[in-house]
Amino acid sequence: MDNYPKPDNATLLDIYRKASLIRHNDERVIKEMMAGKLVTPYYSPAGQEIIPSALSVSLTDDDKIVTIYRGTHDMLAKGFPLKPLWAELAGRITGSCKGKGGTMHLTHPETGCMVTTGVVGSSMPIATGIGWAAKLDGKGTVAVANFGDGAANIGAFHESLNMAALWKLPVIFLCQNNLYAEHTTFANSTLIARISDRAASYGMVGVTVNGNDPDAMYGVARLAVERARAGEGPTLIEAMTFRFNGHLVGDAGNYIPKDEIATARSKDPVPALRKTVIERGAATEAELDAIDAAIKAEIDEAVIAAFSADLPDVAELKRDVFAHELA
Amino acid sequence: MDNYPKPDNATLLDIYRKASLIRHNDERVIKEMMAGKLVTPYYSPAGQEIIPSALSVSLTDDDKIVTIYRGTHDMLAKGFPLKPLWAELAGRITGSCKGKGGTMHLTHPETGCMVTTGVVGSSMPIATGIGWAAKLDGKGTVAVANFGDGAANIGAFHESLNMAALWKLPVIFLCQNNLYAEHTTFANSTLIARISDRAASYGMVGVTVNGNDPDAMYGVARLAVERARAGEGPTLIEAMTFRFNGHLVGDAGNYIPKDEIATARSKDPVPALRKTVIERGAATEAELDAIDAAIKAEIDEAVIAAFSADLPDVAELKRDVFAHELA
Amino acid sequence: MTETQIQPQSINLIQAVNLAMDHAMAADPKVLALGEEVGDREEGGVMGVTKGLSTKYGDDRVKSTPISEQAIIGAAIGAAICGYRPVAEIMLMNFVTVAMDMITNHAAKLRFMSGGQTHVPIVIRTMTGSGFGTGGQHSDYLEAWFAHTPGIKVVAPSNPNDAYGLMRAAIEDDDPVIFIENLPSYWTPSEVTFEAIPIGKARVARAGTDVTIITHSLMVGHSLVAAQTLADAGISVEVIDLRTIAPWDRETVLAAVRKTGRALIVHEAVREFGIGAEIASTLHEALWDELKGPVKRLGGAFCPVPYSKPLETAFAPSADDIVATIKAMVAAH
Amino acid sequence: MTETQIQPQSINLIQAVNLAMDHAMAADPKVLALGEEVGDREEGGVMGVTKGLSTKYGDDRVKSTPISEQAIIGAAIGAAICGYRPVAEIMLMNFVTVAMDMITNHAAKLRFMSGGQTHVPIVIRTMTGSGFGTGGQHSDYLEAWFAHTPGIKVVAPSNPNDAYGLMRAAIEDDDPVIFIENLPSYWTPSEVTFEAIPIGKARVARAGTDVTIITHSLMVGHSLVAAQTLADAGISVEVIDLRTIAPWDRETVLAAVRKTGRALIVHEAVREFGIGAEIASTLHEALWDELKGPVKRLGGAFCPVPYSKPLETAFAPSADDIVATIKAMVAAH
Ligand SMILES: Cc1ncc(C[n+]2csc(CCOP(=O)(O)OP(=O)(O)O)c2C)c(N)n1
Ligand SMILES: Cc1ncc(C[n+]2csc(CCOP(=O)(O)OP(=O)(O)O)c2C)c(N)n1
Ligand SMILES: [Mg+2]
Ligand SMILES: [Mg+2]
């Protein structure tokens, strides 16, 4: 990883800020669910915080992402504001999608969160189209397709990577390999060791990186973004990570060997990053505590606002089906 | 190609017999179409005769193939009898499919011609299932999925190859790379030079071979068949070839550079094979003439029988939709 | 095929489908199962429907797959034309959209296109249902697409007994069958007699004389609740559970509607261009002189399934909607 | 958007679609085209519909694609939510089955699921039609699937003028539109006035007083032939060309049927669970007291499209079938 750029201290702190927001937010969602206040299918991204955080510091609001049901980390890192996010989780009319989309379809175009999808593999073809638009716009913006290791075996992966490579589109295909697809291990669905090797099938650059290592992840992502902005085409990044929880809240994850979880959790990337930030002098413990406190307060505010907002009226069923309401 | 088995003279003559049958049959189909006697969407396999001929000498009736609209070469090499084939082309009740399937859906399970499909890419998933059945049967039989270079970019390719590799199925994925997909050149749809390199994405063996060279094609196919029979899993074979005609009868192929066609035709593999057969002493010119004459006579008989057979009755619309006719 | 030695038991729909597959696999070595997570290594399916089967029948007959729906259905088709009877799972009905080519261009057509030489005895198990906030891409009701596709049968059990019986029949059937399980119906136990139930035959779930409700799956329960309420109001309602959507049981439905002269079709799928339209049109054509008023239809709202609870609840017909519609029907004609 | 300076011309449907795309691309740089072979390097489409566009508007706006239907529709959706208006070609309607997830789970739903924040102004051009012996996998009529999918519009022109006008409107439309071209209709020229035709409005193709035919696409021609034959037999037939299948023009259709009291719906798609069922059911509900007899439906036979000529010919309704059905309708009621 020696040829890759490294984050300076300010950037490292930015990465921390995002990762901490994601982690605190995740904990709060699960807390509200456990308290019975929030009922929703929730796919925790705990353990995968560093990946989008280390990527997003290289992106602007004009860059666009497509993410999946397990996507609050991608969205928050990209800048999706907490209030419309929480209101959407709570199914309120003040939600980003007026309560119509929910957890699996969170959308916020202003911050480039264009699509959240519940269909495995579908982020890739759509991001390919966003990349085509970016190329036509000619402003050097970038599209990111997030997806999991399981999604790398579905047909849309193949079609999208081939087309994006052929058209030299500014797309980053970001496979977050958390070693599980629901109850299925990576090794039980794929014979090869590295998904990034599949890039060779399309004449694309492919790289596997430790997604939990902020330096490595930052470097690999930064280069991919720069290549995309420069018109040099797409990159397949396989970011190795681990899913700390079951597939969704309610899944105990009994099929995951206990020691596998223990090992992963012992290397929890968020406290590790905190340590690095302090070690490198990017911030003091006290400063980080202040950041975390502010994050918690902001989440708190969003949660309270969400639960006190109105639910959508039944008339909403007729709206947003088409541009104009049908008679 | 030194490690590959070579065809003995008897086998070479078998390959010739098949290739000659395919070529003569193709010429006859086009002749009947030009005469206005046969009206059908016909996708000539001229130029690609050696591939299935050199493969099929290693197959038995219990081995099964799935082929595509451009598939009469695959079928005839596999043993699909001429009479039901011609009757089907002519839309007769005596056709293999009672006239219901036609050119793009020719089927003859007795000789292992299980499915002919008109949907690009669909041969691969179905052949994967046939391979699964073969594995369960435990008799060492093999499944072959034929498809073109264009089909290597569709999602079903990816899913099938991954699954077949993962399950170690006795499937041969035979990509007949004739450098064109309708009007699209291989280079304009695929950045990489060799489709067989994609096998690496699945932990599968992949090999590119000159499909018009009977020795090379025989050797590569034979090894793949042996590996499949031995339970060693699937192989992706990319057989390089050239489509002598337009995509289908009626397409003048104006998008193909004239010299490209001229070069390919100057290396016409069927007369080249004839020469080799004679050179190697596998048969004399006179013997080959006799073989060809017999082939022509057999085709003649099939054509005459086809055109004198009955057309299906309209009541056939209700039959074969389900096992039992609906009330 | 009926396991006469098995005593009736009260079990839920998950267990019923599980036992139907288990018994079919025990009875016929050609019966297979495949799909994402169906093996015991992956806990026998996300809902546990296939739990125990891979342990009992081996990893060759019960195969967990990668997330590759086209290959799943393709593999099922290929094995089926070689004499096997695979039960393929597509985890949720919305994901059949990824495999529509395999299902409608191949599974449905191979028998016809081959002139009867090959056929595709597969069962495609899939699940749908709303009420869990899964939103627009996880709760579609697409039975009308398949009903419009010649060569495919569509069944949708409303209770554990039908689930067992229809699954046994679907596996024995020589044609492709889409088997639709309803998520909110999964956990309600009721008595199962372990007998096959013929495909294409509807069931009179409640007899009545004033109005006939034609429905299936989850809506059978809602319709029975409505029928009880209406009985208290002096309106006698017959409820027909279609069980099989395609080919649907015209004989039973026509006889029932002939008797009452009034019909209401209820389904969760979007009303417009839904299966209710075919049934209503057929009833109008066949019983023109016998109907007291036009056949009515209730279906899902014309939008994707929404997330927020009040919207999600309002999406599908409720027992109250059924009651109100039937009262209006009886008042009008 | 109407090019007022263009004089009416007699052109065929291929040219009409070509000119509509050409004019739309000239008028709005956000209009794009993509699909297999659509560029001039590949001869501007297998049927030549997009000929000249890539030369005129460049290879970035008009993109030939690999054979990758999911990526084709995905690319169109992605560009559309970023403000472009792509016209994506799926070469034949049967191949939409490979892209159904993209079309029905994404294109149709993104507006609703995002609460109106994103929308997908794409046109999906596709073609179907029988009569050329292409068999079961090349001639399906799947409009009913899309009509049953909230969020998608479906148009199907029967002649070059409508093709031009509907394509202009479809490209301007802010929602996804499936644009169905009919193969055997491609080469018949007729006058085109180069005006946009609003989506959702039907056209009275022939006025009449005894029976109303509701139809679209190729069957409009057959219906007009039948209407002429029936006129000679003293039966006056009105022919409504739907033009838009979803959302269909209830107002025009209801007014026409109210006038005649008799209605026949004709389409090439399989009759069972076809779009005719929705229209018939609606007519029965809305015009119960005004109908003289039940609404009738003619559609394709309940089987895959067959290959052999006599079967292929018998598959879809003919002018003779229409004449016979209407004579029976008039005789009965
Ligand atoms: C086409 C499709 N098939 C199946 C599913 C059901 N499903 C939802 S998530 C999931 C696992 C995906 O795993 P992976 O891609 O590794 O992402 P992760 O959940 O680990 O982030 C599956 C099979 C789906 N949503 N879409
Ligand atoms: C899914 C699908 N998309 C498009 C088509 C239209 N089509 C028919 S043949 C063909 C080209 C296929 O090329 P290739 O795979 O190289 O096979 P070849 O015809 O050269 O043998 C295309 C695009 C189709 N039949 N199916
Ligand atoms: Mg994963
Ligand atoms: Mg080719």
Side-chain angles (χ1 to χ4, degrees):
Chain A
M1 297 277 125
D2 285 348
N3 306 322
Y4 289 97
K6 288 227 158 43
D8 59 23
N9 273 357
T11 306
L12 195 72
L13 188 57
D14 269 358
I15 297 174
Y16 176 79
R17 230 181 243 115
K18 290 176 189 293
S20 175
L21 171 63
I22 295 164
R23 175 62 60 91
H24 282 105
N25 190 71
D26 182 65
E27 286 171 351
R28 185 63 181 262
V29 172
I30 293 171
K31 186 176 154 206
E32 297 297 329
M33 289 184 72
M34 292 305 147
K37 288 189 66 183
L38 186 64
V39 181
T40 190
Y42 180 66
Y43 306 81
S44 163
Q48 306 182 198
E49 293 86 352
I50 305 301
I51 299 169
S53 302
L55 161 67
S56 296
V57 291
S58 301
L59 301 178
T60 75
D61 276 356
D62 291 334
D63 297 316
K64 296 178 170 59
I65 68 164
V66 181
T67 187
I68 62 172
Y69 50 90
R70 189 184 320 285
T72 50
H73 57 325
D74 300 325
M75 298 173 216
L76 290 172
K78 189 69 180 54
F80 198 127
L82 282 165
K83 281 193 175 163
L85 186 137
W86 269 92
E88 188 60 28
L89 291 183
R92 307 296 154 143
I93 189 72
T94 51
S96 59
C97 309
K98 304 182 192 161
K100 296 177 177 185
T103 329
M104 289 206 260
H105 305 302
L106 287 156
T107 308
H108 195 260
E110 289 88 335
T111 54
C113 297
M114 300 305 289
V115 178
T116 298
T117 173
V119 184
V120 165
S122 61
S123 60
M124 292 172 267
I126 296 177
T128 299
I130 297 176
W132 181 26
K135 190 169 187 181
L136 287 164
D137 289 344
K139 295 182 186 147
T141 57
V142 165
V144 180
N146 291 284
F147 59 100
D149 45 296
N153 291 326
I154 204 163
F157 169 94
H158 185 67
E159 296 190 7
S160 308
L161 270 74
N162 187 58
M163 189 181 278
L166 193 67
W167 294 3
K168 257 196 168 193
L169 300 179
V171 183
I172 295 170
F173 293 97
L174 179 50
C175 179
Q176 304 191 18
N177 188 344
N178 59 14
L179 302 177
Y180 281 85
E182 293 199 337
H183 308 181
T184 306
T185 65
F186 176 54
N188 283 334
S189 67
T190 316
L191 283 186
I192 59 169
R194 292 152 47 113
I195 291 174
S196 67
D197 288 344
R198 289 187 174 167
S201 281
Y202 315 106
M204 190 186 291
V205 176
V207 53
T208 295
V209 60
N210 177 355
N212 288 5
D213 174 344
D215 290 343
M217 184 64 213
Y218 169 82
V220 164
R222 173 115 217 148
L223 265 202
V225 170
E226 281 170 7
R227 290 187 59 253
R229 292 206 202 289
E232 289 164 29
T235 305
L236 171 60
I237 300 177
E238 178 188 26
M240 301 308 299
T241 184
F242 197 82
R243 196 187 76 192
F244 278 3
N245 298 305
H247 175 59
L248 80 174
V249 171
D251 167 18
N254 292 330
Y255 45 89
I256 311 178
K258 289 274 167 298
D259 57 326
E260 208 175 304
I261 304 183
T263 309
R265 281 196 177 267
S266 76
K267 295 190 265 177
D268 188 334
V270 181
L273 171 56
R274 192 174 223 271
K275 223 173 124 222
T276 308
V277 167
I278 295 167
E279 274 168 14
R280 293 204 191 152
T284 64
E285 180 115 37
E287 282 165 344
L288 294 185
D289 287 345
I291 288 174
D292 290 354
I295 285 171
K296 277 192 193 168
E298 208 196 331
I299 293 171
D300 219 47
E301 212 184 312
V303 175
I304 291 166
F307 286 123
S308 57
D310 287 337
L311 290 162
D313 189 275
V314 173
E316 285 297 332
L317 288 177
K318 284 181 181 290
R319 296 189 195 126
D320 301 320
V321 180
F322 291 110
H324 305 285
E325 212 171 300
L326 290 184
Chain B
M1 298 278 125
D2 285 348
N3 305 323
Y4 288 98
K6 286 226 161 42
D8 59 22
N9 274 359
T11 307
L12 195 72
L13 188 57
D14 268 358
I15 297 174
Y16 176 81
R17 230 180 245 115
K18 290 175 189 294
S20 175
L21 170 63
I22 294 164
R23 176 61 60 88
H24 282 106
N25 190 71
D26 181 65
E27 286 171 352
R28 185 63 182 263
V29 172
I30 293 172
K31 187 177 151 205
E32 297 297 329
M33 290 184 73
M34 293 305 149
K37 288 189 67 182
L38 186 64
V39 182
T40 191
Y42 180 66
Y43 305 81
S44 164
Q48 306 182 198
E49 292 86 351
I50 304 301
I51 300 169
S53 302
L55 160 68
S56 296
V57 291
S58 301
L59 301 178
T60 76
D61 277 356
D62 290 335
D63 297 316
K64 296 179 170 58
I65 68 165
V66 181
T67 187
I68 61 171
Y69 50 91
R70 189 184 320 286
T72 50
H73 57 323
D74 300 325
M75 298 171 217
L76 290 172
K78 190 66 179 54
F80 199 127
L82 282 166
K83 280 192 176 164
L85 186 138
W86 270 90
E88 188 60 29
L89 292 183
R92 307 296 154 143
I93 189 73
T94 51
S96 58
C97 309
K98 303 184 192 161
K100 296 177 177 185
T103 328
M104 289 206 261
H105 305 301
L106 287 157
T107 308
H108 196 260
E110 289 88 335
T111 54
C113 297
M114 300 306 290
V115 177
T116 298
T117 173
V119 184
V120 166
S122 60
S123 59
M124 292 171 269
I126 297 177
T128 299
I130 297 177
W132 182 26
K135 190 170 185 179
L136 287 163
D137 288 344
K139 295 185 185 145
T141 57
V142 165
V144 180
N146 290 284
F147 58 100
D149 45 295
N153 292 325
I154 204 162
F157 169 94
H158 185 67
E159 297 190 6
S160 308
L161 271 74
N162 186 59
M163 188 181 278
L166 193 66
W167 294 3
K168 258 199 169 190
L169 300 180
V171 183
I172 296 169
F173 294 97
L174 179 50
C175 179
Q176 303 191 19
N177 187 344
N178 60 14
L179 303 176
Y180 281 85
E182 292 199 338
H183 307 182
T184 305
T185 64
F186 175 53
N188 283 334
S189 67
T190 316
L191 283 187
I192 59 168
R194 292 152 47 114
I195 290 173
S196 66
D197 288 345
R198 290 187 173 167
S201 281
Y202 315 106
M204 192 186 291
V205 175
V207 53
T208 295
V209 60
N210 177 356
N212 289 4
D213 174 343
D215 290 343
M217 184 65 212
Y218 170 82
V220 164
R222 173 113 218 151
L223 265 202
V225 170
E226 282 170 6
R227 290 187 59 254
R229 293 207 200 289
E232 290 164 27
T235 306
L236 171 60
I237 300 177
E238 179 187 26
M240 302 307 299
T241 184
F242 198 82
R243 194 187 77 193
F244 279 3
N245 298 305
H247 176 59
L248 80 174
V249 171
D251 166 19
N254 293 330
Y255 46 88
I256 311 178
K258 288 275 168 296
D259 56 327
E260 208 175 303
I261 304 182
T263 309
R265 281 195 178 268
S266 75
K267 294 190 264 176
D268 187 333
V270 182
L273 170 57
R274 192 175 224 268
K275 226 173 121 221
T276 308
V277 169
I278 295 168
E279 276 168 14
R280 294 202 190 151
T284 64
E285 179 116 42
E287 282 165 345
L288 295 185
D289 287 345
I291 287 173
D292 290 355
I295 285 169
K296 278 191 193 170
E298 208 196 331
I299 293 171
D300 219 48
E301 214 183 312
V303 175
I304 291 167
F307 286 124
S308 56
D310 287 337
L311 291 161
D313 189 275
V314 173
E316 286 296 331
L317 288 176
K318 284 182 182 289
R319 298 191 192 125
D320 301 320
V321 179
F322 291 110
H324 304 284
E325 211 172 302
L326 291 184
Chain C
M1 73 189 253
T2 304
E3 320 291 314
T4 37
Q5 73 281 16
I6 304 177
Q7 290 302 310
Q9 280 179 48
S10 182
I11 55 177
N12 70 24
L13 208 147
I14 294 176
Q15 296 166 304
V17 175
N18 179 276
L19 284 175
M21 290 179 70
D22 188 352
H23 297 166
M25 294 190 82
D28 181 355
K30 293 290 188 183
V31 178
L32 311 173
L34 77 166
E36 292 150 21
E37 337 253 301
V38 300
D40 286 331
R41 195 178 54 192
E42 290 81 20
E43 301 198 322
V46 271
M47 310 305 296
V49 174
T50 49
K51 210 184 277 294
L53 299 180
S54 71
T55 303
K56 211 156 162 184
Y57 301 105
D59 285 340
D60 280 335
R61 282 178 69 191
V62 180
K63 293 203 87 70
S64 282
T65 68
I67 309 174
S68 307
E69 279 81 3
Q70 296 190 66
I72 291 170
I73 303 298
I77 294 170
I81 58 175
C82 295
Y84 288 88
R85 295 184 174 273
V87 181
E89 174 176 322
I90 298 290
M91 203 178 281
L92 280 171
M93 193 158 210
N94 281 70
F95 315 149
V96 300
T97 55
V98 195
M100 283 303 276
D101 168 50
M102 280 294 131
I103 302 174
T104 64
N105 283 329
H106 301 273
K109 291 176 177 167
L110 284 182
R111 180 190 287 278
F112 186 86
M113 296 195 309
S114 74
Q117 294 179 97
T118 56
H119 65 282
V120 186
I122 64 174
V123 180
I124 300 176
R125 283 185 49 235
T126 191
M127 185 248 283
T128 194
S130 62
F132 299 85
T134 48
Q137 292 178 337
H138 281 65
S139 312
D140 276 347
Y141 306 87
L142 304 175
E143 58 271 18
W145 292 4
F146 298 106
H148 189 48
T149 305
I152 293 189
K153 297 176 179 175
V154 184
V155 305
S158 67
N159 62 70
N161 191 56
D162 288 6
Y164 181 91
L166 289 168
M167 178 53 84
R168 290 304 300 268
I171 293 173
E172 292 246 324
D173 200 279
D174 282 335
D175 290 303
V177 178
I178 311 271
F179 188 93
I180 306 171
E181 299 166 21
N182 181 278
L183 179 57
S185 310
Y186 261 156
W187 299 276
T188 316
S190 64
E191 184 157 290
V192 171
T193 59
F194 300 103
E195 286 164 309
I197 290 174
I199 288 178
K201 291 279 165 242
R203 174 178 74 97
V204 180
R206 176 186 174 118
T209 53
D210 295 328
V211 182
T212 307
I213 297 179
I214 300 126
T215 187
H216 67 273
S217 198
L218 187 71
M219 290 293 121
V220 173
H222 288 26
S223 298
L224 289 172
V225 170
Q228 189 53 51
T229 308
L230 288 160
D232 300 341
I235 301 175
S236 166
V237 172
E238 175 141 331
V239 178
I240 305 287
D241 178 350
L242 283 175
R243 283 175 162 169
T244 299
I245 294 166
W248 61 285
D249 184 354
R250 283 165 206 245
E251 211 180 322
T252 301
V253 172
L254 260 66
V257 179
R258 188 166 278 136
K259 194 172 68 175
T260 61
R262 296 188 193 88
L264 170 66
I265 301 143
V266 184
H267 52 63
E268 278 187 281
V270 165
R271 193 195 55 191
E272 284 78 1
F273 300 92
I275 66 144
E278 176 66 29
I279 297 173
S281 299
T282 303
L283 290 173
H284 285 125
E285 288 190 51
L287 305 177
W288 179 251
D289 296 319
E290 293 161 82
L291 289 174
K292 295 178 179 142
V295 177
K296 292 276 176 185
R297 298 175 287 147
L298 283 175
F302 196 67
C303 62
V305 176
Y307 171 74
S308 182
K309 202 72 200 168
L311 301 184
E312 194 188 30
T313 305
F315 174 84
S318 66
D320 285 350
D321 295 336
I322 298 171
V323 167
T325 305
I326 287 183
K327 282 188 174 165
M329 285 169 68
V330 173
H333 299 275
Chain D
M1 74 189 249
T2 304
E3 322 289 313
T4 36
Q5 72 282 14
I6 303 177
Q7 291 301 309
Q9 280 178 49
S10 181
I11 56 177
N12 69 26
L13 208 148
I14 293 175
Q15 296 166 305
V17 176
N18 179 276
L19 284 175
M21 291 179 69
D22 188 353
H23 296 166
M25 294 191 82
D28 181 355
K30 294 288 189 183
V31 178
L32 311 174
L34 77 164
E36 292 152 21
E37 338 253 300
V38 302
D40 286 330
R41 195 178 56 191
E42 290 81 21
E43 301 199 319
V46 271
M47 310 305 296
V49 173
T50 50
K51 208 184 276 296
L53 299 179
S54 72
T55 303
K56 211 157 162 184
Y57 301 105
D59 286 340
D60 280 335
R61 282 179 69 192
V62 180
K63 295 204 83 73
S64 283
T65 68
I67 308 174
S68 306
E69 278 81 4
Q70 296 190 65
I72 291 171
I73 302 300
I77 293 170
I81 58 176
C82 295
Y84 288 88
R85 295 184 175 272
V87 181
E89 175 176 321
I90 298 289
M91 203 178 279
L92 280 171
M93 192 158 210
N94 281 70
F95 313 149
V96 299
T97 54
V98 195
M100 283 304 276
D101 167 50
M102 281 293 132
I103 302 174
T104 64
N105 283 328
H106 301 273
K109 291 176 178 168
L110 285 181
R111 180 189 289 278
F112 186 87
M113 295 194 310
S114 74
Q117 293 179 98
T118 56
H119 65 282
V120 186
I122 65 174
V123 181
I124 301 177
R125 283 185 48 235
T126 191
M127 185 248 283
T128 195
S130 64
F132 299 85
T134 47
Q137 292 177 335
H138 281 66
S139 311
D140 275 348
Y141 306 87
L142 305 175
E143 58 272 17
W145 292 3
F146 298 106
H148 190 48
T149 305
I152 293 189
K153 296 177 179 175
V154 184
V155 305
S158 68
N159 62 70
N161 192 57
D162 287 5
Y164 180 92
L166 289 169
M167 178 53 83
R168 290 305 299 269
I171 293 173
E172 293 246 325
D173 201 279
D174 282 336
D175 289 303
V177 179
I178 311 271
F179 188 93
I180 305 170
E181 300 166 18
N182 181 279
L183 179 58
S185 310
Y186 261 157
W187 299 277
T188 316
S190 63
E191 185 157 290
V192 171
T193 59
F194 299 103
E195 286 164 310
I197 291 174
I199 288 178
K201 290 279 164 244
R203 173 178 75 97
V204 180
R206 176 185 174 120
T209 52
D210 295 327
V211 181
T212 307
I213 298 178
I214 300 126
T215 187
H216 68 273
S217 199
L218 187 71
M219 289 293 121
V220 173
H222 287 27
S223 298
L224 289 171
V225 169
Q228 189 52 52
T229 306
L230 288 160
D232 298 342
I235 301 174
S236 166
V237 173
E238 177 143 327
V239 178
I240 306 287
D241 179 351
L242 283 175
R243 281 174 163 168
T244 299
I245 294 166
W248 62 284
D249 184 354
R250 282 165 207 246
E251 210 179 324
T252 301
V253 171
L254 259 67
V257 178
R258 189 165 276 135
K259 195 172 68 175
T260 60
R262 295 187 194 92
L264 170 66
I265 300 143
V266 184
H267 53 62
E268 278 186 280
V270 165
R271 192 194 57 188
E272 284 77 2
F273 300 92
I275 65 146
E278 176 66 29
I279 297 173
S281 298
T282 305
L283 290 172
H284 285 126
E285 289 190 52
L287 305 177
W288 178 251
D289 295 322
E290 293 161 82
L291 288 175
K292 294 179 179 142
V295 177
K296 292 278 177 181
R297 297 176 288 147
L298 282 175
F302 196 67
C303 61
V305 176
Y307 171 74
S308 183
K309 203 72 198 169
L311 300 184
E312 193 187 29
T313 306
F315 174 83
S318 65
D320 285 350
D321 295 335
I322 298 170
V323 168
T325 305
I326 287 185
K327 282 188 174 163
M329 286 168 70
V330 173
H333 300 276

